Amino acid sequence: MSDVIYQAQPPLEFIPPKFNPLFLQAVHLLLPSWISWQTAITQIEADNLEVLVDLYRQFQEGKIRFLLAFRHPKTDDPFCLAYLFSQLVPRVAREQGTALQSPIHAHFIYDRGIPLWAGSYVGWVASRLGGTPIQRGKADWTGLRSARDLFANGRFPMAAAPEGATNGLSEKVSPLEPGIAQLGFWCAEDLHKDNRSEQVLIVPVGIKYSYVDTPWRAIAGLLSELEAASGLPINSANQGNVPCLESLYPRLLTLAEHLLDLMEKFYKRFYHQNLPDVKTEISDRNEVLAVRLQALLNAALQISEQHFDLQSKGKLSDRCRRVEQAAWNNIFREDFKDVKALSPVEKALGDRVAEEANARMWHMRLVESFVAVSGNYIREKPTVERFAETTLILWQMIARIKGDKTSQRPQLGKQQVKITIGQPISVSERYSTYKENRLGARQAVADLTNDLQQAMESLMNPEK
């Protein structure tokens, strides 16, 4: 992994989907044991499964094409969806007497960068499961053509995460990227050109994690570790008492404020960033944290953007994607296709550029961890899940600062998962507006993305 990041490389190769039904069968067979062994998940349930069963029936009858747009709070999400396809959907179909062809599966879109940090074998596995990669942050036409073809002509429906990345928060949806809506309209366009009658749908899917038992003691232990790592005194005032939100929340706030102090000093002293002093202007500690955090994230991202000569415009998530792609362009280079033809000096200079690109991308990775964080996430709904998720984001930040690449994310307790199938959103009904002109197309994509955002948010917070 390290030599890939710190040395200039030829351009990333596209990993074509090579679906293997026998491999999928083996994955489905081993999946329950894998989930039990490798994750903290003990139970996976789903609501509104009859909707998904009927969608698969219509798909297999050649009446519709659809894409499952799923929430992406954690890296465990793909395992949950695989369990949904292999176990839950077939079970409900049998109970309803609906005959579905096996296997129940979905082609899927994944980030081409995942095999870089998770291991090259991940690309091999994803390919055999019918996945297709896309490089984030640029117009990856090879990847987009593959995804477009699978949507219109693939053996299975599609699945993709419109948030583009995990955000660590089960009950907060990050701003959606427009690519999913665009793929939907491309599919409708391809079907129209071929005089095919299938309707195109996008189906919002919620994924929500909750703890089987409230893990306050585990959270308290993790807080103590983070306090020690960041230089705060070990909190002994509540030793012997049963930890709870009321006793731990002040510690979490103090830790967050301390980390902000350290990072603000770091960026002011060594990167000459001008950060506003809002501590005396706002009385509420949570609001102060939120304002300081946004200012810090903006400053950190500007350091990366200035290095790559990028403009600081748009949402934080969009800016992160542009920085990521600029860094990849400096590491995986078109002019390094034939590395052997380069002189030692040219290769060394290329490695220097790659090393600097990786160093600047470090600032972006910090920002990426916090794009969905606000000062009110816990306060507006003080649950153990929200508290744990926020604490784990701080753990991730500290681990990244320390350079702990081998540390596994702490498991604070056993979890159960609730998958919720939302009502399908018709792309075909909007196609007439999309095909009118370029302005209509842009507006149709924006409207569909906005409607999908609202649908996914309502799945996470049905009481609103």
Side-chain angles (χ1 to χ4, degrees):
M1 170 63 180
S2 60
D3 60 339
V4 172
I5 292 297
Y6 291 104
Q7 295 182 356
Q9 304 285 319
L12 284 173
E13 294 182 356
F14 176 70
I15 305 174
K18 297 179 180 179
F19 175 69
N20 185 319
L22 292 178
F23 183 69
L24 175 64
Q25 187 177 1
V27 168
H28 282 182
L29 183 65
L30 297 173
L31 183 64
S33 298
W34 172 266
I35 291 175
S36 177
W37 176 42
Q38 287 290 318
T39 76
I41 298 169
T42 60
Q43 185 177 8
I44 302 175
E45 297 179 341
D47 283 343
N48 302 333
L49 260 183
E50 65 279 359
V51 173
L52 189 55
V53 170
D54 189 59
L55 288 170
Y56 267 97
R57 177 190 62 79
Q58 293 184 67
F59 180 91
Q60 293 181 356
E61 292 175 356
K63 297 179 179 178
I64 63 172
R65 309 293 299 186
F66 70 89
L67 180 147
L68 295 166
F70 63 91
R71 276 257 31 231
H72 201 13
K74 295 178 60 176
T75 54
D76 290 340
D77 303 337
F79 304 133
C80 299
L81 290 174
Y83 188 87
L84 173 74
F85 300 141
S86 64
Q87 304 290 326
L88 302 184
V89 172
R91 182 189 307 164
V92 171
R94 287 193 301 269
E95 293 172 353
Q96 291 183 344
T98 303
L100 295 180
Q101 302 170 18
S102 295
I104 302 300
H105 187 51
H107 296 292
F108 57 93
I109 300 170
Y110 66 97
D111 174 22
R112 179 60 181 86
I114 291 177
L116 297 178
W117 58 262
S120 59
Y121 74 92
V122 173
W124 186 93
V125 169
S127 173
R128 270 63 186 180
L129 291 176
T132 189
I134 287 184
Q135 291 188 48
R136 301 185 307 184
K138 75 168 188 176
D140 177 9
W141 294 114
T142 301
L144 289 171
R145 280 193 295 269
S146 176
R148 180 173 182 169
D149 179 65
L150 286 175
F151 200 165
N153 305 302
R155 176 176 173 179
F156 307 106
M158 293 289 289
E163 292 168 276
T166 60
N167 70 4
L169 305 176
S170 278
E171 296 185 4
K172 189 171 181 63
V173 183
S174 296
L176 304 190
E177 298 179 357
I180 297 304
Q182 182 63 70
L183 278 174
F185 284 115
W186 279 341
C187 181
E189 184 177 53
D190 293 341
L191 298 181
H192 180 74
K193 287 180 179 178
D194 292 340
N195 294 316
R196 291 164 58 182
S197 61
E198 297 106 305
Q199 296 294 297
V200 181
L201 306 172
I202 293 180
V203 186
V205 178
I207 301 179
K208 192 172 182 178
Y209 296 81
S210 60
Y211 286 97
V212 176
D213 300 305
T214 53
W216 288 118
R217 289 196 180 277
I219 294 173
L222 181 58
L223 270 177
S224 296
E225 293 179 19
L226 300 182
E227 287 165 343
S230 58
L232 285 172
I234 298 176
N235 192 301
S236 59
N238 295 315
Q239 285 187 357
N241 297 331
V242 177
C244 60
L245 188 141
E246 288 74 17
S247 64
L248 296 182
Y249 193 52
R251 290 175 58 185
L252 182 66
L253 283 178
T254 299
L255 174 62
E257 290 168 343
H258 180 65
L259 288 172
L260 274 174
D261 285 338
L262 293 177
M263 297 306 295
E264 286 170 345
K265 292 175 182 177
F266 171 73
Y267 280 110
K268 286 179 179 178
R269 178 178 178 184
F270 297 105
Y271 292 93
H272 316 296
Q273 296 297 303
N274 183 24
L275 293 167
D277 185 3
V278 299
K279 300 177 186 178
T280 59
E281 300 174 4
I282 306 174
S283 57
D284 185 275
R285 289 178 72 184
N286 289 277
E287 293 183 18
V288 171
L289 273 173
V291 174
R292 291 175 64 192
L293 176 61
Q294 288 304 307
L296 181 68
L297 297 181
N298 183 63
L301 204 48
Q302 283 181 341
I303 292 169
S304 300
E305 290 167 334
Q306 289 167 2
H307 176 79
F308 296 114
D309 195 24
L310 300 172
Q311 291 186 345
S312 301
K313 63 179 183 179
K315 298 175 293 189
L316 286 177
S317 56
D318 294 336
R319 293 167 64 186
C320 285
R321 295 290 74 77
R322 288 195 294 270
V323 167
E324 181 180 50
Q325 192 53 53
W328 290 147
N329 289 342
N330 281 9
I331 297 171
F332 302 98
R333 292 173 47 173
E334 292 290 336
D335 54 341
F336 271 51
K337 287 183 177 180
D338 187 3
V339 177
K340 294 180 181 179
L342 299 173
S343 69
V345 171
E346 289 174 315
K347 181 65 171 63
L349 289 174
D351 292 345
R352 174 63 63 184
V353 170
E355 186 175 354
E356 290 180 353
N358 181 69
R360 296 297 175 170
M361 194 159 49
W362 178 88
H363 303 280
M364 182 275 291
R365 294 299 183 202
L366 278 181
V367 175
E368 190 176 43
S369 302
F370 286 87
V371 291
V373 174
S374 70
N376 295 316
Y377 185 62
I378 297 175
R379 189 168 60 174
E380 68 184 11
K381 190 176 179 182
T383 62
V384 68
E385 283 78 20
R386 291 193 174 204
F387 198 104
E389 288 169 351
T390 304
T391 306
L392 286 169
I393 288 175
L394 291 180
W395 172 88
Q396 183 178 8
M397 173 188 180
I398 291 174
R400 190 173 296 281
I401 292 172
K402 292 166 59 181
D404 292 344
K405 298 177 181 178
T406 58
S407 297
Q408 288 191 339
R409 189 182 182 93
Q411 293 186 356
L412 299 176
K414 296 298 183 181
Q415 290 188 297
Q416 51 197 11
V417 183
K418 174 64 69 69
I419 301 173
T420 306
I421 309 301
Q423 291 302 312
I425 301 173
S426 175
V427 179
S428 298
E429 292 177 358
R430 304 161 186 251
Y431 180 62
S432 58
T433 302
Y434 173 85
K435 68 178 182 180
E436 286 179 355
N437 49 50
R438 289 185 178 181
L439 181 60
R442 285 196 297 269
Q443 190 61 49
V445 169
D447 289 345
L448 179 53
T449 301
N450 181 64
D451 290 348
L452 180 59
Q453 177 97 36
Q454 293 184 19
M456 297 185 76
E457 289 175 352
S458 67
L459 290 178
M460 295 296 93
N461 301 285
E463 66 276 6
K464 289 188 177 180

